[in-house]
Amino acid sequence: MKSRLKMAEIVPEAYKAMYGLERYINGTELSKGHKHLIKIRASQINGCAFCINMHTEDARKDGETEKRIYALNAWWDTNYFTPEERALLALTEEVTKITGRVSDETYENAVNLLGEKYTAEAIMAIAVINTWNRMSISVHLMPE
């Protein structure tokens, strides 16, 4: 597959705005581990090879295990993830597959386990990675 246009060069102001959102996410209370799980899982659902590659490498550098990374496609069938991580992964899936909406059960579980602010920050992180995924997929951004 051949890469298409280079978004950062053609629409630099839009790209800067996306990086502004990314900086915001990096400054939230979300733990690095939670951010990695959100980014990897959303990227898997969306089929973004570039983002899967980047975020699994970043997660490994920060100590995430291969076992957990490999199990993300079936996280609900493992005991590798904490209740908080499971709430974040469920939220990530429902926000990413938004056509089914975010169920009251998933939302309330996240808020009960994580609190309103952390849940709001997680929703922002999920929205941002979904935007990055859509841009990367649209222009055939390739992993190295």
Side-chain angles (χ1 to χ4, degrees):
M1 188 178 322
K2 182 180 172 192
S3 289
R4 296 176 175 165
L5 56 89
K6 295 184 185 334
M7 296 285 285
E9 294 173 13
I10 296 171
V11 288
E13 291 303 313
Y15 228 68
K16 274 195 234 176
M18 282 300 299
Y19 275 113
L21 286 171
E22 195 65 40
R23 276 189 303 280
Y24 166 78
I25 297 303
N26 288 334
T28 65
E29 294 176 12
L30 293 172
S31 73
K32 277 187 178 183
H34 287 170
K35 287 184 266 192
H36 291 313
L37 293 176
I38 288 167
K39 289 177 179 183
I40 295 167
R41 188 63 192 126
S43 299
Q44 288 174 331
I45 293 166
N46 290 322
C48 183
F50 180 85
C51 293
I52 292 168
N53 183 62
M54 178 186 357
H55 298 303
T56 55
E57 284 181 7
D58 291 345
R60 283 184 195 97
K61 287 176 189 170
D62 285 336
E64 187 57 78
T65 65
E66 297 291 320
K67 185 178 194 177
R68 284 170 36 105
I69 290 171
Y70 298 149
L72 274 174
N73 281 319
W75 62 267
W76 55 88
D77 276 340
T78 74
N79 60 359
Y80 304 155
F81 303 96
T82 67
E84 293 79 11
E85 290 168 335
R86 296 172 74 76
L88 283 169
L89 290 166
L91 189 62
T92 299
E93 292 202 1
E94 290 187 23
V95 171
T96 300
K97 301 174 187 178
I98 199 67
T99 56
R101 305 286 184 237
V102 175
S103 70
D104 289 339
E105 178 184 359
T106 296
Y107 173 80
E108 290 167 9
N109 187 45
V111 169
N112 288 336
L113 286 169
L114 306 167
E116 285 185 344
K117 183 176 183 203
Y118 204 90
T119 300
E121 291 173 343
I123 291 169
M124 284 300 301
I126 297 163
V128 170
I129 188 58
N130 272 283
T131 301
W132 283 120
N133 288 166
R134 281 153 178 75
M135 288 188 323
S136 297
I137 291 166
S138 297
V139 300
H140 293 171
L141 196 57
M142 298 278 102
E144 293 180 13

